[in-house]
């Protein structure tokens, strides 16, 4: 009777232990799900911040380019009026031109752009390994759905050159009647 009672008590304790373990496992799973949700929210917040940072960078560069163009126009006007020497003007224009196409900006831009747009540049390079770094930059600007005029300002090239770049890119990608911008947006 004593053995039976001990066995019964042991079985009861064993069942209680197993139920407790199941409850702990369920709580652990719930906590893991909660942690995963919090990590997802953190990633989404970070992605949103990076997206805003990228948009701000792009707008800042556009504003900078507009300012540079305005300064160049003013310098040319002063030269025409004779208020500035040719040597001074050339020096100023050289300094203004050196601020265009900042490689540090493009490196940070590409890194943030890639994070926001789910490895856009990596996917583009995998599909089209023949694309040059300038082609990739151009595709990034197209992905932002910028106008030809804005791309022209950001790239430091004429609008006609932007149109030619679009044509060459369409040719490299083998797109005939498809809109290049729409195709880039889908990648």
């Amino acid at each position: 009777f004593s053995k039976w009672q001990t066995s019964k008590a042991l079985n009861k304790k064993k069942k209680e232990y197993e139920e407790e373990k199941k409850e702990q496992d369920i709580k652990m799973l719930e906590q893991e799900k909660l942690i995963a949700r919090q990590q997802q929210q953190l990633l989404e917040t970070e992605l949103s911040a990076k997206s805003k940072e990228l948009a701000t960078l792009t707008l800042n560069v556009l504003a900078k380019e507009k300012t540079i163009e305005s300064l160049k126009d003013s310098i040319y006007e002063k030269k025409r009026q004779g208020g500035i020497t040719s040597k001074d003007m050339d020096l100023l224009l050289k300094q203004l031109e050196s601020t265009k196409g900042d490689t540090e900006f493009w490196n940070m831009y590409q890194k943030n752009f890639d994070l926001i747009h789910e490895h856009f540049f990596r996917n583009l390079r995998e599909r089209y390994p023949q694309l040059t770094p300038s082609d990739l930059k151009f595709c990034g600007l197209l992905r932002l759905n910028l106008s030809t005029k804005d791309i022209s300002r950001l790239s430091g090239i004429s609008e006609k050159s932007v149109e030619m770049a679009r044509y060459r890119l369409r040719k490299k990608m083998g797109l005939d009647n498809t809109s290049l911008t729409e195709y880039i947006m889908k990648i």
Side-chain angles (χ1 to χ4, degrees), residues 43-158:
L43 288 173
E44 287 173 1
T45 303
E46 187 177 318
L47 185 64
S48 175
K50 290 284 186 187
S51 181
K52 289 177 184 175
E53 182 182 339
L54 183 63
T56 302
L57 277 172
T58 304
L59 291 174
N60 286 341
V61 168
L62 282 172
K64 178 180 161 186
E65 293 297 322
K66 284 180 183 177
T67 304
I68 288 172
E69 289 301 316
S70 170
L71 284 171
K72 285 170 84 174
D73 292 342
S74 297
I75 290 171
Y76 282 124
E77 185 61 34
K78 289 267 188 192
K79 182 184 180 191
R80 244 182 290 144
Q81 294 174 357
I84 189 169
T85 66
S86 181
K87 187 178 179 181
D88 290 338
M89 188 201 72
D90 290 340
L91 181 65
L92 286 171
L93 289 173
K94 195 178 225 182
Q95 288 175 339
L96 286 174
E97 286 297 325
S98 71
T99 61
K100 281 189 169 184
D102 191 17
T103 53
E104 184 178 318
F105 162 77
W106 280 111
N107 290 338
M108 185 167 60
Y109 178 86
Q110 187 173 358
K111 179 182 168 191
N112 287 336
F113 192 93
D114 227 15
L115 285 173
I116 293 166
H117 294 285
E118 299 174 10
H119 308 294
F120 172 77
F121 290 113
R122 184 186 314 156
N123 293 339
L124 202 55
R125 271 187 242 115
E126 286 173 2
R127 285 186 189 180
Y128 305 101
Q130 74 275 18
L131 294 180
T132 64
S134 60
D135 290 338
L136 293 173
K137 286 179 188 178
F138 192 75
C139 288
L141 295 173
L142 287 173
R143 173 79 172 171
L144 291 175
N145 206 14
L146 295 176
S147 69
T148 300
K149 192 173 185 178
D150 290 338
I151 292 172
S152 168
R153 276 193 228 124
L154 276 173
S155 302
I157 58 176
S158 70

Side-chain angles (χ1 to χ4, degrees), residues 1-51:
F1 179 76
S2 167
K3 278 184 176 181
W4 176 78
Q5 221 176 8
T6 307
S7 173
K8 188 175 178 183
L10 273 172
N11 285 337
K12 185 178 179 183
K13 289 285 185 184
K14 191 176 182 181
K15 285 180 184 179
E16 287 175 1
Y17 171 76
E18 286 175 2
E19 285 177 22
E20 239 179 76
K21 188 173 182 204
K22 283 180 185 177
E23 286 178 22
Q24 286 178 350
D25 288 344
I26 290 171
K27 285 181 183 179
M28 286 292 286
L29 286 173
E30 288 173 358
Q31 287 177 350
E32 287 175 3
K33 285 180 183 177
L34 180 65
I35 289 171
R37 266 188 260 133
Q38 288 174 343
Q39 286 176 336
Q40 180 71 24
Q41 287 174 344
L42 183 64
L43 288 173
E44 287 173 1
T45 303
E46 187 177 318
L47 185 64
S48 175
K50 290 284 186 187
S51 181

